[in-house]
Amino acid sequence: EQLRRINTIKNSFKEIKKQLEFMPSSAEIRVIYETLDFPLQSEDIGIDQQLLHNALLYAKDYRDRYTVFKSANELGLLEDLVALVIKEY
């Protein structure tokens, strides 16, 4: 089943990417947050780096549905993506 899902993602990657084109970039989101004076760092809302890391890493287990976190985990990318997200912000 896991291999089937991985192959589906690989075979559908161009379409998935196309479907997500409407999403704003991280730079656009940053500008929106700054304009609205929203907090940008996890620490600004009382979440330390370890808690943020764990929240992103274990988000795949939170719901009983297939999510981007579960996809990344099955592809062996979750740890790297979590590190990248934390590093960027």
Side-chain angles (χ1 to χ4, degrees):
E1 179 61 20
Q2 181 178 355
L3 186 57
R4 184 193 66 76
R5 287 191 302 265
I6 289 171
N7 285 329
T8 299
I9 291 168
K10 285 172 56 177
N11 294 334
S12 305
F13 190 73
K14 286 183 182 180
E15 180 61 26
I16 292 168
K17 196 171 177 180
K18 182 179 178 185
Q19 291 293 323
L20 294 175
E21 286 177 352
F22 77 95
M23 297 288 294
S25 69
S26 60
E28 292 170 319
I29 292 171
R30 182 177 287 276
V31 168
I32 292 167
Y33 270 48
E34 287 171 348
T35 301
L36 297 173
D37 199 29
F38 281 9
L40 289 170
Q41 303 295 324
S42 59
E43 291 88 0
D44 296 339
I45 58 172
I47 298 173
D48 64 39
Q49 290 293 302
Q50 187 61 49
L51 180 56
L52 176 62
H53 178 268
N54 288 342
L56 294 172
L57 190 62
Y58 298 111
K60 67 181 176 20
D61 302 319
Y62 181 69
R63 299 234 175 195
D64 198 25
R65 64 177 105 153
Y66 200 70
T67 66
V68 68
F69 294 101
K70 288 182 182 180
S71 298
N73 186 58
E74 288 185 346
L75 294 168
L77 302 172
L78 186 58
E79 287 275 354
D80 292 339
L81 290 175
V82 167
L84 182 65
V85 167
I86 291 173
K87 179 181 176 186
E88 185 161 329
Y89 292 96

